[in-house]
Amino acid sequence: MAGLREKQKADRRGRILRAAVARFRSVGYRAARIEDLAEQAQVSVGTVYNYYRTKGDILIATVALEVEEVLESGAALLADPPAGALDAIRALVFGYYDHSLNYLSKEMWRSAMALSIEAPETPNGARYSALDAALAAQVTDMIAALQARGEMRRDLDAGAMGKLMFNGLNQEFVDFVKDDAMTLAELRARIDAQLGPLVALMEAT
């Protein structure tokens, strides 16, 4: 019986998030109402509030859904990185970017970033920061794996380099979501122009 209840809860949570994605995309995050999400998810407003206290909670849960799927794909890539340091880093990073609009629009990303900046000490702010930290850690893990394989210099601090690389990549993503006209292809081109010289400095000789 407990297993059935958990399954029903997971189903309701999934329906709410799917409804939120659809509604946020169609009318925008700020214009969407909890009542409309509930109707689209075929649950009561009270049920929505049982799972999420605020609309911001729903948005950050959507970000978490996006990032957790990205991290899962990244973990599979880390288990067997492509040959060549640049190709391995590109595959990891482009996997992040290419998945970034699966659930969230640029407007949704901007709203989520604003929530994390305006209230960093809140559960939502802390969760957003933790997701960023997990992505940065994965970049570090890729650098360490490439060092172990002899493709990157072993004298480099993988943690410091991973954080440095992620911070640059993250700022490019911020610029991407700020500009509704910028395409993923344009973002990729900007990253390629930076990754090539950076990885060349890090590669083992």
Side-chain angles (χ1 to χ4, degrees), residues 7-182:
K7 185 177 179 180
Q8 290 171 336
K9 286 172 65 176
D11 176 67
R12 284 192 291 271
R13 190 183 301 274
R15 295 208 319 264
I16 292 167
L17 287 182
R18 287 192 295 273
V21 167
R23 196 70 186 169
F24 291 164
R25 281 184 176 277
S26 64
V27 304
Y29 167 73
R30 297 190 185 282
R33 302 185 313 151
I34 294 292
E35 292 83 358
D36 298 326
L37 304 185
E39 181 179 358
Q40 192 155 344
Q42 297 182 319
V43 298
S44 69
V45 172
T47 297
V48 175
Y49 282 117
N50 283 341
Y51 290 93
Y52 304 103
R53 292 182 304 169
T54 67
K55 193 167 63 170
D57 288 348
I58 300 173
L59 180 62
I60 297 299
T62 308
V63 172
L65 181 65
E66 186 91 68
V67 174
E68 284 161 5
E69 289 188 8
V70 162
L71 288 168
E72 186 176 344
S73 297
L77 191 68
L78 275 168
D80 186 23
L86 181 58
D87 284 345
I89 295 291
R90 286 176 83 253
L92 181 67
V93 172
F94 287 169
Y96 295 166
Y97 291 148
D98 291 347
H99 195 292
S100 64
L101 301 180
N102 278 18
Y103 300 120
L104 287 88
S105 64
K106 289 188 178 185
E107 187 258 358
M108 290 164 67
W109 273 114
R110 292 193 295 265
S111 297
M113 290 173 182
L115 281 173
S116 71
I117 294 168
E118 289 169 358
E121 303 303 323
T122 64
N124 281 334
R127 189 175 190 189
Y128 191 99
S129 295
L131 293 167
D132 260 1
L135 290 168
Q138 201 166 67
V139 174
T140 293
D141 290 344
M142 178 60 82
I143 291 171
L146 294 170
Q147 287 176 317
R149 210 162 63 177
E151 294 182 9
M152 277 194 170
R153 291 166 43 191
R154 294 177 184 269
D155 63 316
L156 295 174
D157 183 327
M161 294 306 298
K163 187 170 183 180
L164 177 66
M165 185 179 289
F166 177 78
N167 286 344
L169 298 168
N170 196 38
Q171 183 57 54
E172 288 293 341
F173 183 68
V174 171
D175 291 344
F176 170 66
V177 299
K178 283 164 56 179
D179 184 354
D180 283 325
M182 189 188 298

